[in-house]
Amino acid sequence: MRDLFDKIYKDKGPLGKWAEQAEGYFVFPKLEGPISNRMKFRGKEVITWSINDYLGLANHPEVRKVDAEAAAEYGSAYPMGARMMSGHTQLHEQLQDELASFVHKQSAYLLNFGYQGMVSTIDALVSKQDVIVYDVDAHACIIDGVRLHLGQRFTYKHNDLESIEKNLQRATKIAEQTGGGILLISEGVFGMRGEQGRLKEIVELKKKYNFRLFVDDAHGFGTLGKTGAGAGEEQGIQDDIDVYFATFAKSLASTGAFIAADKEIIDYLKYNLRSQMFAKSLQMQLVVGALKRLEMLRTMPELKDKLWENVNALQNGLKENGFDIGTTQSCVTPVYLKGSIPEAMALVKDLRENHGVFCSIVVYPVIPKGLILLRMIPTASHTLQDIEETLVAFSAIRERLENGTYKRLSASVSAAMASKE
């Protein structure tokens, strides 16, 4: 019998094996200062494109005031206990009612964390007789929720309607044999590519197949749709989403999440969501803060207008300068370049140190080998000057990538990587 920790000593994992070269800079970087369009990285000011503060609420003075007042009144402990036991309050109910109204659903239920809540919601919705069909590019929280499922599950090719229908046919045959049902899971906006899920077309398939639709709209909530109710509102099918999920960690610049659906569905879930039944209630200062943020979403459309002014300026500027931003249909702005992982590391270091631009880098195995994805999140806090400086910086790094500068600079890193593979 081997020691349980043998695998830890011998294999640090696909990312962990590069910790020595990457940690503290490329992964686990330390941004400092108030959350804003410009922050500090290693003592230098950088334009930050990696903060999901879409509407610029994180340091909005009205938000900071309410957060501080709530912390002073309630502290960070109240209420103590799980919602079912001693952690339930009128303000929790008020926030749920307002969230349900905002996303045009009968009822809603608060979740302490988005990731935890998604995993638990999937677990509660299905039994071993049921079949799950989900997008192959689904977020990790969806994948982990599906892993708990004891029944059959199928992935479909990303946003591929033919693949969706093929897998619905497979699921239907199995469900007819087991006596179960079908849950189809899509994201409203896919966080890496920025593409919206094919929700309208998926809903059309309900005419042919008997399934329920669960949508993770973390990046759509607050940013898409006439009122900000998300990708479903944007595509005109919000009523056809059976269970709607969104997090507070993006547009609301806070901690927590919620699910929304018909009242009977929510009543069932709140008695069967293990992550909420056996966990402490969402603390009051976060509930009060979320109420204020939601009020601002409803009453200050200029926040979303400013966000989209910046999104359009950034994305149009990138396209006009010949950059490949894929097929994004949201605020998420991916920039695709061709190069190796060592070249990507040299490129990002140049971008941060010499151009003062900080954005997230994504490489293999998240995307295919030979590609570099620079993922940018424009917010309402950014300025046109931020965008202009970033476009100049991106043109400079592309030239160095294409003329081989980064390949030469990364030769030692390439050698180190080759020795580990």
Side-chain angles (χ1 to χ4, degrees), residues 88-104:
H88 187 68
T89 73
Q90 184 273 330
L91 287 176
H92 284 74
E93 287 189 347
Q94 179 183 340
L95 178 55
Q96 289 172 171
D97 290 344
E98 293 189 17
L99 286 165
S101 176
F102 187 77
V103 299
H104 315 299

mmCIF file of all heavy atoms in Angstrom, residues 88-104:
data_model
loop_
_atom_site.group_PDB
_atom_site.id
_atom_site.type_symbol
_atom_site.label_atom_id
_atom_site.label_comp_id
_atom_site.label_asym_id
_atom_site.label_seq_id
_atom_site.Cartn_x
_atom_site.Cartn_y
_atom_site.Cartn_z
ATOM 1 N N HIS A 88 -32.455 33.062 9.803
ATOM 2 C CA HIS A 88 -33.411 33.612 8.847
ATOM 3 C C HIS A 88 -33.905 34.971 9.341
ATOM 4 O O HIS A 88 -34.214 35.138 10.523
ATOM 5 C CB HIS A 88 -34.594 32.653 8.716
ATOM 6 C CG HIS A 88 -35.565 33.021 7.641
ATOM 7 N ND1 HIS A 88 -35.264 32.963 6.305
ATOM 8 C CD2 HIS A 88 -36.855 33.464 7.720
ATOM 9 C CE1 HIS A 88 -36.311 33.341 5.604
ATOM 10 N NE2 HIS A 88 -37.287 33.663 6.442
ATOM 11 N N THR A 89 -33.972 35.976 8.440
ATOM 12 C CA THR A 89 -34.430 37.306 8.835
ATOM 13 C C THR A 89 -35.352 37.883 7.769
ATOM 14 O O THR A 89 -35.409 37.402 6.628
ATOM 15 C CB THR A 89 -33.249 38.288 9.013
ATOM 16 O OG1 THR A 89 -32.727 38.646 7.716
ATOM 17 C CG2 THR A 89 -32.142 37.696 9.865
ATOM 18 N N GLN A 90 -36.025 38.942 8.147
ATOM 19 C CA GLN A 90 -36.913 39.631 7.215
ATOM 20 C C GLN A 90 -36.129 40.224 6.050
ATOM 21 O O GLN A 90 -36.610 40.259 4.913
ATOM 22 C CB GLN A 90 -37.691 40.732 7.957
ATOM 23 C CG GLN A 90 -38.720 41.457 7.109
ATOM 24 C CD GLN A 90 -38.130 42.650 6.348
ATOM 25 O OE1 GLN A 90 -37.181 43.268 6.830
ATOM 26 N NE2 GLN A 90 -38.684 42.954 5.179
ATOM 27 N N LEU A 91 -34.902 40.685 6.320
ATOM 28 C CA LEU A 91 -34.101 41.279 5.254
ATOM 29 C C LEU A 91 -33.643 40.236 4.235
ATOM 30 O O LEU A 91 -33.519 40.544 3.045
ATOM 31 C CB LEU A 91 -32.900 42.026 5.843
ATOM 32 C CG LEU A 91 -33.242 43.356 6.537
ATOM 33 C CD1 LEU A 91 -32.005 43.966 7.170
ATOM 34 C CD2 LEU A 91 -33.874 44.338 5.552
ATOM 35 N N HIS A 92 -33.388 39.010 4.678
ATOM 36 C CA HIS A 92 -33.098 37.935 3.734
ATOM 37 C C HIS A 92 -34.305 37.728 2.800
ATOM 38 O O HIS A 92 -34.142 37.595 1.579
ATOM 39 C CB HIS A 92 -32.791 36.627 4.474
ATOM 40 C CG HIS A 92 -31.425 36.579 5.095
ATOM 41 N ND1 HIS A 92 -31.110 37.287 6.246
ATOM 42 C CD2 HIS A 92 -30.298 35.906 4.745
ATOM 43 C CE1 HIS A 92 -29.851 37.047 6.566
ATOM 44 N NE2 HIS A 92 -29.336 36.205 5.672
ATOM 45 N N GLU A 93 -35.484 37.710 3.382
ATOM 46 C CA GLU A 93 -36.696 37.536 2.575
ATOM 47 C C GLU A 93 -36.895 38.712 1.618
ATOM 48 O O GLU A 93 -37.274 38.520 0.461
ATOM 49 C CB GLU A 93 -37.915 37.390 3.488
ATOM 50 C CG GLU A 93 -37.997 36.063 4.211
ATOM 51 C CD GLU A 93 -39.322 35.895 4.928
ATOM 52 O OE1 GLU A 93 -40.070 36.901 5.063
ATOM 53 O OE2 GLU A 93 -39.616 34.769 5.360
ATOM 54 N N GLN A 94 -36.646 39.930 2.109
ATOM 55 C CA GLN A 94 -36.811 41.109 1.262
ATOM 56 C C GLN A 94 -35.877 41.059 0.052
ATOM 57 O O GLN A 94 -36.295 41.334 -1.083
ATOM 58 C CB GLN A 94 -36.536 42.386 2.061
ATOM 59 C CG GLN A 94 -36.675 43.666 1.229
ATOM 60 C CD GLN A 94 -36.324 44.914 2.022
ATOM 61 O OE1 GLN A 94 -36.334 44.919 3.259
ATOM 62 N NE2 GLN A 94 -35.979 45.987 1.308
ATOM 63 N N LEU A 95 -34.615 40.679 0.294
ATOM 64 C CA LEU A 95 -33.660 40.598 -0.803
ATOM 65 C C LEU A 95 -34.097 39.538 -1.813
ATOM 66 O O LEU A 95 -34.029 39.755 -3.032
ATOM 67 C CB LEU A 95 -32.262 40.284 -0.267
ATOM 68 C CG LEU A 95 -31.149 40.113 -1.319
ATOM 69 C CD1 LEU A 95 -31.047 41.333 -2.229
ATOM 70 C CD2 LEU A 95 -29.805 39.847 -0.623
ATOM 71 N N GLN A 96 -34.568 38.398 -1.316
ATOM 72 C CA GLN A 96 -35.050 37.348 -2.223
ATOM 73 C C GLN A 96 -36.208 37.835 -3.077
ATOM 74 O O GLN A 96 -36.247 37.594 -4.290
ATOM 75 C CB GLN A 96 -35.466 36.121 -1.409
ATOM 76 C CG GLN A 96 -34.284 35.387 -0.816
ATOM 77 C CD GLN A 96 -34.675 34.288 0.150
ATOM 78 O OE1 GLN A 96 -33.833 33.517 0.578
ATOM 79 N NE2 GLN A 96 -35.942 34.204 0.516
ATOM 80 N N ASP A 97 -37.154 38.538 -2.458
ATOM 81 C CA ASP A 97 -38.314 39.036 -3.200
ATOM 82 C C ASP A 97 -37.890 40.039 -4.280
ATOM 83 O O ASP A 97 -38.404 40.013 -5.409
ATOM 84 C CB ASP A 97 -39.311 39.693 -2.242
ATOM 85 C CG ASP A 97 -40.006 38.687 -1.334
ATOM 86 O OD1 ASP A 97 -39.959 37.480 -1.637
ATOM 87 O OD2 ASP A 97 -40.584 39.117 -0.313
ATOM 88 N N GLU A 98 -36.948 40.909 -3.924
ATOM 89 C CA GLU A 98 -36.510 41.926 -4.883
ATOM 90 C C GLU A 98 -35.704 41.305 -6.022
ATOM 91 O O GLU A 98 -35.813 41.738 -7.179
ATOM 92 C CB GLU A 98 -35.710 43.019 -4.172
ATOM 93 C CG GLU A 98 -36.562 43.850 -3.211
ATOM 94 C CD GLU A 98 -35.828 45.066 -2.662
ATOM 95 O OE1 GLU A 98 -34.790 45.452 -3.255
ATOM 96 O OE2 GLU A 98 -36.291 45.637 -1.654
ATOM 97 N N LEU A 99 -34.905 40.298 -5.715
ATOM 98 C CA LEU A 99 -34.148 39.607 -6.758
ATOM 99 C C LEU A 99 -35.092 38.881 -7.720
ATOM 100 O O LEU A 99 -34.913 38.930 -8.940
ATOM 101 C CB LEU A 99 -33.165 38.612 -6.136
ATOM 102 C CG LEU A 99 -31.929 39.223 -5.478
ATOM 103 C CD1 LEU A 99 -31.224 38.197 -4.592
ATOM 104 C CD2 LEU A 99 -30.953 39.765 -6.515
ATOM 105 N N ALA A 100 -36.090 38.198 -7.167
ATOM 106 C CA ALA A 100 -37.055 37.494 -8.008
ATOM 107 C C ALA A 100 -37.754 38.461 -8.953
ATOM 108 O O ALA A 100 -37.905 38.192 -10.154
ATOM 109 C CB ALA A 100 -38.076 36.766 -7.139
ATOM 110 N N SER A 101 -38.165 39.601 -8.431
ATOM 111 C CA SER A 101 -38.839 40.606 -9.256
ATOM 112 C C SER A 101 -37.903 41.131 -10.340
ATOM 113 O O SER A 101 -38.311 41.307 -11.495
ATOM 114 C CB SER A 101 -39.322 41.762 -8.376
ATOM 115 O OG SER A 101 -39.893 42.792 -9.157
ATOM 116 N N PHE A 102 -36.644 41.341 -9.982
ATOM 117 C CA PHE A 102 -35.675 41.909 -10.921
ATOM 118 C C PHE A 102 -35.437 40.982 -12.111
ATOM 119 O O PHE A 102 -35.279 41.446 -13.247
ATOM 120 C CB PHE A 102 -34.356 42.202 -10.211
ATOM 121 C CG PHE A 102 -33.360 42.932 -11.067
ATOM 122 C CD1 PHE A 102 -33.485 44.282 -11.314
ATOM 123 C CD2 PHE A 102 -32.285 42.250 -11.632
ATOM 124 C CE1 PHE A 102 -32.568 44.959 -12.118
ATOM 125 C CE2 PHE A 102 -31.359 42.907 -12.427
ATOM 126 C CZ PHE A 102 -31.504 44.270 -12.674
ATOM 127 N N VAL A 103 -35.403 39.671 -11.869
ATOM 128 C CA VAL A 103 -35.150 38.723 -12.972
ATOM 129 C C VAL A 103 -36.436 38.094 -13.494
ATOM 130 O O VAL A 103 -36.407 37.098 -14.217
ATOM 131 C CB VAL A 103 -34.129 37.634 -12.561
ATOM 132 C CG1 VAL A 103 -32.797 38.265 -12.212
ATOM 133 C CG2 VAL A 103 -34.645 36.776 -11.420
ATOM 134 N N HIS A 104 -37.573 38.670 -13.115
ATOM 135 C CA HIS A 104 -38.878 38.269 -13.658
ATOM 136 C C HIS A 104 -39.230 36.813 -13.350
ATOM 137 O O HIS A 104 -39.674 36.065 -14.230
ATOM 138 C CB HIS A 104 -38.924 38.522 -15.173
ATOM 139 C CG HIS A 104 -38.381 39.857 -15.587
ATOM 140 N ND1 HIS A 104 -38.929 41.044 -15.153
ATOM 141 C CD2 HIS A 104 -37.324 40.186 -16.370
ATOM 142 C CE1 HIS A 104 -38.239 42.058 -15.663
ATOM 143 N NE2 HIS A 104 -37.262 41.561 -16.384
#
